Amino acid sequence: MRAAELVAGSVRENPSAAIALPTGETPKGMYAELGALHRAGLDFSGVTIFNLDEYVGLEASSPLSYAYFMARELYRGINVPESSRRIFDSTAADPEEECRRYDRAVEEAGGIDLAVVGIGRNGHIAFNEPADALHVGSHVQALDRQTLEVNFEVGLKQLAEAGRPPIPRSKFPTHAMTMGFGPIMTADRVLVLVTGSAKAEPMRRMLDGTVTTRFPASVLQLHRNCTVLADERAAAGSR
Ligand code: PGA
């Protein structure tokens, strides 16, 4: 898979790379492939991983958390030391302060070398939802209705897979902590992963030659080293 090869290339080139990674359905295949590359000898021991986002207010062990997702989908397959796995603390008493802590960690790493991102149906990048203005730094974000609908359905599947009972929609997190656009736009390289027919229209809007914070993915047109990897269904209708 080209996405995993691209990430592997960054790690080979810079064994202490700082890499930002997404969650969701799209990157699962890439994570499995990175596990296979690790078994074939690729060393991640010097790499630092920053997750793009995390829900506010879950228990540490919740299968809904992105920490749980990363442990299951990626970290059990590769050798990134625990101390080099960065993610917002969903249980933080003060999520805004947690965002400041996260920004300091990104700064201490010297910024992001490679940012791998997915796009939401509404064009969000990480949880930077459509808005009149985008944030540079990490912040607490109220999730859009459409994002909540999609993520609630995904969350129910995750709970079932973990053998946990379903939760009512009213108990699903409505806010997340997310990296802002700053570390993504200043990353040396951005890799956008887009799969499935539901992403064909978002993909088209991402690339259509206009830039608007009302469709955050469109801002990536201004990045100097941005690669989009799409499957055929997502690419249908795009140039
Ligand atoms: P998905 O999520 O990979 O599950 O479609 C992408 C996103 O919402 O950023």
Side-chain angles (χ1 to χ4, degrees), residues 23-27 118-121 124-127 151 154 199:
T23 54
E25 288 304 306
T26 310
I119 62 174
R121 293 181 201 193
H124 69 209
I125 294 290
F127 274 134
N151 289 23
V154 172
K199 298 288 174 66

Side-chain angles (χ1 to χ4, degrees), residues 22-28 52-53 66 69 117-127 129 147 150-151 154 193-195 198-199:
T23 54
E25 288 304 306
T26 310
K28 283 183 177 175
L52 293 174
D53 42 27
Y66 291 162
F69 174 98
V117 303
I119 62 174
R121 293 181 201 193
N122 64 358
H124 69 209
I125 294 290
F127 274 134
E129 300 279 36
T147 301
V150 173
N151 289 23
V154 172
L193 307 179
V194 200
T195 58
K199 298 288 174 66

Side-chain angles (χ1 to χ4, degrees), residues 7 10 13-14 16-22 47-53 84-88 102-117 126 136 138 178-191 223-225:
V7 173
S10 287
E13 197 181 294
N14 177 6
S16 57
I19 303 177
L21 291 178
V47 167
T48 302
I49 305 287
F50 287 89
N51 264 95
L52 293 174
D53 42 27
S84 304
R85 305 172 187 178
R86 309 266 191 275
I87 189 158
F88 296 95
Y102 209 67
D103 284 344
R104 284 195 297 275
V106 172
E107 206 179 305
E108 277 160 25
I112 301 296
D113 297 301
L114 171 66
V116 184
V117 303
V136 172
S138 298
T178 182
M179 199 179 261
F181 253 72
I184 297 168
M185 293 305 284
T186 56
D188 290 342
R189 183 166 200 181
V190 175
L191 176 59
H223 195 281
R224 70 193 183 290
N225 190 10

